[in-house]
Amino acid sequence: MNSLPAVHLCIVQPVGYVHSLGLLDQANFFRYQFERLGATVTLGKNRLHSDALNFVFGAHLGFDQALLRKYDCFIVNLEQIGEGGANLPADYLKLISMAPVVDYDLRNARAYSNYPNDVPLVSFQYAPYLEASSIPLEERPIDLLFFGSVNPRRQQWISRIEACGLSVSSFDGPLYGPERDHFIAQSKAVLNCHFYDSSRFEQARAFTCLSLGTPLISEIGAATQVPAAFAESVNWVEDAGLERFFTESFATPVWFDASRARLKAFRQTDPIEEYADLLAFAVGYRKGRGRDSMAAQRSLVKRVHIGSGKDYKPGWLNLDVLESALPDVVLDLAKPLSFPHDIDSIQVGSMRLAAGEVESIYANNVLEHVPDLPMLMRNCLDLLKVGGEFVIEVPHERARTAWQDPTHVRAMNDNSWLYYTDWFWYLGWFEHRFVITEYAHLNEQVQPCEPNQAAFMRVVLTKVETTLQERMRARTLRADFGPGVGHTLHSTAEPVVAAVIAEGRTEGRIGVRLPSF
């Protein structure tokens, strides 16, 4: 029986941010190593698992520090930090100063930790699961491939190489995963030059190329510290010798033979002991936190996100009607529900959805799809505490965004909120209603605009108690008199009538004279 905790790898991806796909290389390498050690490993986008050791990739793109209290999280830092390194958000630097961090370079750890030697270090080496190219190096159609961000420093290197009569190929847009690997496998070599003055070797990029069977030509400078696994596996070129290398050595028979030997040497590298130490560190950290007792507690839901998929919000309870959207739980708020409603989810753990306890509900482009909108609005009203907010974004009926989705069942306009605010009694509401506390028209770039340019609407509805005057109006306009009235008169009168009849005290055809109430 496997006694190891489950391992979950989380890649942070802001909505629509394609470059997060570049983190799949490193996450898959972690997955391979942990599975070799006997762990059960899952991989997800933005989602954390409540019962797992969560290794977070891309936290510099945005990660709520509050999640550290509920989840066992280990931040995988792949950024170059310190003098000459990346300009990173202050929130990220604060995060890695307080959270357990995994790094690939001790110099990074020295920039954010008071105990850098205690930061687990791992490297990226040979990945056998990547299928090496079967095309001989000499026959590959691409001479040199460069991929990644281009800055003046890198552009200067590329221009100097092309001045030697060579063609440096690059992509006309972001390309990652198998689609990018297809071109790597058709290249005689991949070019690597440093982006930052810190000159840390980009092993997180290099291992993929070498594992795919493609030589790597990399800059080496005075500040470059070469990891042992790459010392004999990479074609190292100094800035001063750039032109000489590409005019005299590159793509010669000697170079091809030497490159094959370097690729063979790389296939002998194996960092399994580093990952065994990392897993032991993570397990010890989990035990030190007492996570088993924490996981048994059922917490109240405070924030609800209606929707999931690409819009998943970590730290919220994400609901969706489709399992394919990978929500925390499949739950339809447009159907009759009773509260409290208990939830057990691999992602959020044990939670309780209770009436009057939720502080915020968010629905982005959801309401236009809902078959029974009044029921959804009623459930949301019940869940929210007084003063709680329901934040809604929907297409405006005059915009191209309205009705473009075949699953739309309605279009919304500026009057679509009246029933939930002014005319609440039509829906059977009495004690609470919504008021609009924020309203904005948004253009197709989701920026504030004039009403005649609106593609979307953003509405914030706040739950309030109805006033006495509003309750009187509701009793007046409802089909009945509302809750709490109209059910006591007959229970007092019936015994009196029975007593009068029994005594024979009737007065002809006029009937029984009842006492005055």
Side-chain angles (χ1 to χ4, degrees):
M1 182 176 177
N2 190 353
S3 60
L4 289 173
V7 172
H8 181 67
L9 310 176
C10 170
I11 293 178
V12 175
Q13 183 182 41
V15 176
Y17 187 71
V18 67
H19 298 295
S20 288
L21 298 178
L23 297 168
L24 284 167
D25 298 326
Q26 297 82 43
N28 280 327
F29 193 76
F30 268 59
R31 182 173 194 163
Y32 169 70
Q33 300 298 342
F34 285 147
E35 286 180 343
R36 292 176 69 193
L37 294 167
T40 300
V41 186
T42 53
L43 173 66
K45 180 190 297 184
N46 294 326
R47 292 152 176 81
L48 300 172
H49 284 189
S50 65
D51 61 344
L53 304 173
N54 294 276
F55 291 85
V56 181
F57 298 78
H60 64 287
L61 300 172
F63 186 83
D64 186 356
Q65 296 175 16
L67 296 172
L68 298 176
R69 294 194 294 268
K70 180 172 182 178
Y71 298 92
D72 292 323
C73 292
F74 305 87
I75 308 302
V76 181
N77 176 60
L78 300 172
E79 299 300 305
Q80 295 190 29
I81 303 178
E83 186 177 355
N87 183 18
L88 295 166
D91 286 346
Y92 179 66
L93 297 177
K94 181 179 179 181
L95 174 70
I96 59 177
S97 70
M98 59 187 292
V101 181
V102 185
D103 216 307
Y104 70 99
D105 196 303
L106 182 60
R107 291 172 295 176
N108 289 331
R110 289 173 179 152
Y112 59 76
S113 176
N114 293 326
Y115 306 96
N117 292 324
D118 292 339
V119 175
L121 299 179
V122 296
S123 58
F124 298 92
Q125 300 181 23
Y126 178 54
Y129 55 85
L130 292 174
E131 184 177 352
S133 175
S134 60
I135 306 174
L137 295 178
E138 294 88 344
E139 299 176 14
R140 297 188 184 182
I142 301 172
D143 285 336
L144 275 170
L145 177 66
F146 173 83
F147 58 90
S149 300
V150 177
N151 65 351
R153 194 177 188 287
R154 284 179 166 174
Q155 184 58 58
Q156 184 184 46
W157 255 60
I158 293 172
S159 298
R160 289 171 62 188
I161 294 170
E162 291 182 330
C164 295
L166 295 170
S167 174
V168 180
S169 300
S170 59
F171 304 129
D172 57 3
L175 204 63
Y176 300 101
E179 290 76 19
R180 177 210 57 203
D181 294 350
H182 171 75
F183 293 97
I184 293 175
Q186 296 188 66
S187 303
K188 294 181 175 70
V190 169
L191 176 67
N192 180 66
C193 48
H194 303 313
F195 188 91
Y196 299 107
D197 292 336
S198 56
S199 299
R200 312 265 163 82
F201 176 60
E202 295 82 354
Q203 58 171 292
R205 169 208 302 250
F207 86 95
T208 299
C209 302
L210 295 172
S211 297
L212 287 166
T214 296
L216 185 79
I217 300 171
S218 180
E219 172 189 7
I220 184 170
T224 306
Q225 294 183 7
V226 178
F230 296 89
E232 303 299 327
S233 304
V234 173
N235 291 266
W236 299 103
V237 179
E238 294 180 349
D239 183 81
L242 182 68
E243 283 78 8
R244 182 176 179 181
F245 173 81
F246 281 105
T247 56
E248 298 181 10
S249 298
F250 176 67
T252 63
V254 173
W255 182 86
F256 284 126
D257 289 340
S259 293
R260 278 186 280 267
R262 292 186 181 99
L263 292 171
K264 182 178 180 180
F266 188 71
R267 289 195 291 271
Q268 308 308 311
T269 62
D270 188 352
I272 188 64
E273 291 186 4
E274 298 172 1
Y275 286 84
D277 290 343
L278 172 59
L279 191 55
F281 167 82
V283 170
Y285 177 84
R286 177 186 176 91
K287 289 181 178 178
R289 294 190 71 200
R291 278 289 297 151
D292 292 338
S293 60
M294 293 169 62
Q297 300 174 5
R298 188 176 294 280
S299 56
L300 288 171
V301 175
K302 294 299 182 181
R303 297 185 295 177
V304 174
H305 176 212
I306 305 176
S308 188
K310 68 179 179 62
D311 298 321
Y312 185 92
K313 295 175 73 65
W316 295 56
L317 177 67
N318 294 266
L319 309 177
D320 207 290
V321 298
L322 300 175
E323 185 69 49
S324 60
L326 301 179
D328 297 326
V329 62
V330 175
L331 185 66
D332 190 353
L333 288 181
K335 292 184 177 179
L337 294 171
S338 59
F339 302 111
H341 184 87
D342 287 347
I343 292 167
D344 292 291
S345 163
I346 192 173
Q347 288 162 188
V348 298
S350 298
M351 303 196 76
R352 173 164 292 170
L353 198 57
E357 293 289 346
V358 175
E359 297 171 354
S360 182
I361 300 176
Y362 178 64
N364 183 356
N365 287 279
V366 171
L367 271 59
E368 65 271 25
H369 301 270
V370 177
D372 191 347
L373 186 56
M375 178 59 69
L376 180 140
M377 298 298 289
R378 174 74 211 215
N379 283 330
C380 291
L381 184 76
D382 288 346
L383 286 171
L384 285 168
K385 61 188 294 185
V386 173
E389 293 184 337
F390 189 4
V391 181
I392 299 166
E393 293 182 12
V394 290
H396 195 283
E397 68 173 359
R398 293 194 302 267
R400 294 185 300 171
T401 48
W403 299 113
Q404 66 181 8
D405 188 326
T407 63
H408 284 187
V409 297
R410 67 177 56 78
M412 315 288 283
N413 59 34
D414 294 357
N415 293 321
S416 295
W417 321 107
L418 283 173
Y419 274 85
Y420 316 114
T421 57
D422 297 14
W423 301 342
F424 60 92
W425 60 83
Y426 280 116
L427 302 173
W429 301 359
F430 187 76
E431 295 179 344
H432 300 96
R433 67 182 180 94
F434 285 119
V435 294
I436 296 176
T437 52
E438 184 180 330
Y439 196 95
H441 295 95
L442 308 174
N443 59 23
E444 292 187 357
Q445 289 72 46
V446 200
Q447 298 299 315
C449 66
E450 296 299 320
N452 60 357
Q453 300 173 327
F456 300 94
M457 292 179 288
R458 186 177 191 272
V459 184
V460 178
L461 302 177
T462 300
K463 178 178 177 177
V464 297
E465 292 181 339
T466 52
T467 65
L468 296 178
Q469 291 78 12
E470 288 169 343
R471 295 182 186 188
M472 291 305 97
R473 184 164 176 78
R475 292 190 190 280
T476 302
L477 295 175
R478 286 173 55 128
D480 59 13
F481 293 104
V485 298
H487 61 279
T488 59
L489 292 179
H490 71 283
S491 62
T492 303
E494 284 179 357
V496 176
V497 172
V500 170
I501 294 175
E503 295 175 7
R505 291 187 288 113
T506 59
E507 299 180 6
R509 288 178 292 180
I510 298 176
V512 178
R513 179 179 298 168
L514 299 179
S516 175
F517 294 100

